[in-house]
Structure formats: structure tokens, C-alpha cells
Amino acid sequence: GESVGLHLPTLSVQEGDNSIINCAYSNSASDYFIWYKQESGKGPQFIIDIRSNMDKRQGQRVTVLLNKTVKHLSLQIAATQPGDSAVYFCAENMDNNDMRFGAGTRLTVKP
Amino acid sequence: DVKVTQSSRYLVKRTGEKVFLECVQDMDHENMFWYRQDPGLGLRLIYFSYDVKMKEKGDIPEGYSVSREKKERFSLILESASTNQTSMYLCASSPLGQGDEKLFFGSGTQLSVL
């Protein structure tokens, strides 16, 4: 079946560098995508979202890029900080309120 | 501050026991969800509810049931716990909308079935 997946399960970056976390999706009908951050011992928290009629959206230090041609979603974190260390999930809305999650990428920030 | 509260952070149960996981949200959200989270598998939807007394099966409902008697509370029930139900369970809620509402999650319940 169709599912959301991630290219890399782990990512390690140096503090201050930019981070890029990737996600592939296969349902071309999905029209809404979200990135969540999950810190140790906590539930996932919303970071940023994007609709399928957009290809880029920026937040504070984070940017989400959507490439519908290749069904690819990415999360860019500028000037990565130790507090950014967490597991990041992409999620796609396959149908009204049917949200599917990827397996997650663990981001580790080295001082 | 909006909140989704799960009653237990850690639970240890024995095989065959009936287990109740409770979730309460204070945001007056119509939608509530139960996921389980396993390493390498991400979040998988067990059950969800759009309204009081309504429930819908998710991707992996086998071995689980749910109850939504009040809008703010959504309970997950393991009728007879088994070791393969050892997992992190996450409750979430969202407002009624057009499919573009983000989920608000609780902190999770780590269930171990021995």
C-alpha cells in the first residue's frame, strides 16, 4: 500500500550547521503535509505544515519544501541547535483526517 | 495552555489482563485518535473518533477497542493484553475541519506486557 517514508533514519550535524531531513510519499492525492518533532519522553509536537498548492513555506528557522513531481518533502533547519535534537516525523493527510506518519528521523546535534 | 493528558506515563501488565488507557483533552476537539509507536515503524493508527459514541477502525485495530462516552475523553482498551502489544501509545486530538488540522498529542503511555 501507499505510505510515507524517510530516506535516512538518523542524521548527525554540527551545532550551527543547517539540517535537512527528507521524506518521500507515494500518495499523489495527499493534499496536506505536516512535520512533527518528538523529544525524548514527549509526544510529537507540530513544527510546520504545507498544503499541496504550495512548494515552500517558512517558519522560524525552519523551512518545508514540497516537490509534488517526485513526491518529496523536506524539512530544513537553519543554524541547528542542541535543542533541535529529536526525532522528526513527516505526515501526510491521505483523506480527511486520515493522517499517515513516516518512520521518523533521529537528529543529533553535536556541540 | 492546551493539553492532551494521558493518565499513565508507564504501565506494566501481565498477559491476559484487561488494560485501560485513558486520554483527556481540554480543547473541545471533536476528533480524537489512538496511535501506537514502535521503533522503525513510526506511528500507526489504532482507532479514532469523530464524535461522542462514534468510533472508526484505523490500520491496526485487532486486539483493541475504544470508548468515547464524553467529548473530552477517549479510552483505549486492551481486552486481553498480549506481549506483542508492548509499545508506546499516543493519544491525539484535533478540531473538526477539512483535513488540514494538525494533531495535538499527549506525552504517551509506555506499556509493557509481561
Side-chain angles (χ1 to χ4, degrees):
Chain A
E2 294 180 291
S3 63
V4 178
L6 287 165
H7 292 296
L8 294 172
T10 61
L11 177 65
S12 183
V13 299
Q14 206 70 38
E15 182 178 356
D17 287 352
N18 297 334
S19 303
I20 299 176
I21 302 172
N22 296 304
C23 179
Y25 67 95
S26 55
N27 186 352
S28 56
S30 294
D31 59 0
Y32 179 59
F33 304 87
I34 301 179
W35 280 100
Y36 288 92
K37 172 186 180 184
Q38 186 177 24
E39 297 175 273
S40 180
K42 297 182 180 179
Q45 290 184 299
F46 170 87
I47 302 174
I48 192 168
D49 58 0
I50 189 167
R51 287 187 160 281
S52 59
N53 61 354
M54 303 171 68
D55 53 20
K56 181 179 180 179
R57 192 166 188 210
Q58 288 185 291
Q60 187 177 13
R61 282 201 308 117
V62 295
T63 301
V64 56
L65 299 177
L66 176 63
N67 185 332
K68 294 181 285 295
T69 303
V70 295
K71 299 188 186 68
H72 184 267
L73 192 69
S74 68
L75 177 70
Q76 300 179 0
I77 304 173
T80 314
Q81 302 169 0
D84 295 326
S85 292
V87 176
Y88 290 82
F89 294 93
C90 63
E92 62 175 325
N93 186 57
M94 298 181 67
D95 196 354
N96 194 19
N97 282 316
D98 184 5
M99 192 70 69
R100 300 299 176 97
F101 290 80
T105 292
R106 180 174 299 279
L107 175 66
T108 301
V109 182
K110 296 178 289 186
Chain B
D1 195 19
V2 296
K3 231 176 188 180
V4 178
T5 303
Q6 294 183 231
S7 55
S8 302
R9 184 71 183 92
Y10 298 98
L11 273 180
V12 180
K13 297 291 181 180
R14 295 200 177 275
T15 301
E17 278 193 77
K18 190 169 185 176
V19 182
F20 292 87
L21 303 184
E22 305 289 348
C23 175
V24 177
Q25 51 97 2
D26 64 1
M27 295 167 281
D28 200 36
H29 285 168
E30 287 78 11
N31 306 323
M32 296 189 75
F33 306 82
W34 274 106
Y35 290 87
R36 64 176 282 176
Q37 181 178 21
D38 299 289
L41 296 178
L43 278 69
R44 293 181 290 167
L45 182 63
I46 305 172
Y47 266 98
F48 59 102
S49 169
Y50 289 143
D51 201 353
V52 175
K53 297 192 185 295
M54 291 183 67
K55 60 184 179 183
E56 297 285 343
K57 292 181 179 179
D59 297 323
I60 51 165
E62 295 78 19
Y64 303 94
S65 62
V66 289
S67 173
R68 188 137 182 233
E69 295 297 316
K70 294 184 178 181
K71 188 176 185 180
E72 67 270 19
R73 185 180 296 271
F74 193 36
S75 304
L76 180 68
I77 304 156
L78 287 66
E79 295 290 340
S80 178
S82 62
T83 54
N84 63 12
Q85 291 179 309
T86 291
S87 186
M88 170 68 79
Y89 289 88
L90 288 164
C91 175
S93 70
S94 71
L96 185 66
Q98 303 303 316
D100 58 354
E101 292 68 42
K102 56 184 177 285
L103 300 175
F104 292 84
F105 284 89
S107 295
T109 297
Q110 180 63 53
L111 173 67
S112 296
V113 183
L114 307 178

